[in-house]
Amino acid sequence: MSFDPGSALERLFDEYSRRAKAIRHDLGLPHNADFAEQAQERQNDEVLQALLAEAEAGLRQVGLARLRLAEGTYGQCQRCGEPIEPARLQALPAAECCLACADKHQA
């Protein structure tokens, strides 16, 4: 079976969208009137807000990957211009750079 980046990005977009929607729903729930419970709920809200930020960042990355696909530059490293390894794209369909550049960036 060959890798279809459009389908992979669509699935990833759907996953991040569902995740963000569920988190927004949870953040919109009213807090308990009990002070101790409310303190715990506010801590949980901080975790949910961080998870929402991650989901929104994922949506942005997928959006950029879709643009690269439309422009014909999908699979090309945004740093060095070399092709991104197919296995990397299968594992991370929204990858912006090759493994070598990603390792350099993290170092």
Side-chain angles (χ1 to χ4, degrees):
M1 184 168 92
S2 66
F3 175 67
D4 177 8
S7 294
L9 291 170
E10 186 66 30
R11 285 190 303 275
L12 198 53
F13 181 84
D14 289 346
E15 179 184 325
Y16 283 130
S17 294
R18 280 192 304 274
R19 189 179 304 170
K21 181 179 178 182
I23 293 168
R24 284 188 193 100
H25 174 266
D26 288 350
L27 284 170
L29 296 174
H31 287 114
N32 194 309
D34 178 75
F35 181 75
E37 282 293 318
Q38 204 175 84
Q40 181 63 45
E41 288 171 348
R42 294 203 187 279
Q43 285 181 332
N44 291 345
D45 284 352
E46 289 177 17
V47 171
L48 288 173
Q49 288 168 348
L51 292 172
L52 179 58
E54 286 179 14
E56 289 173 340
L59 285 169
R60 283 189 297 278
Q61 290 173 339
V62 170
L64 292 171
R66 285 174 153 176
L67 284 174
R68 290 191 301 275
L69 187 61
E71 294 170 348
T73 59
Y74 179 82
Q76 180 180 346
C77 180
Q78 299 297 295
R79 293 205 170 94
C80 72
E82 293 296 316
I84 298 173
E85 302 81 1
R88 180 169 172 76
L89 289 174
Q90 286 181 339
L92 301 168
E96 295 180 351
C97 54
C98 66
L99 190 55
C101 288
D103 286 345
K104 288 180 201 172
H105 183 68
Q106 288 179 346

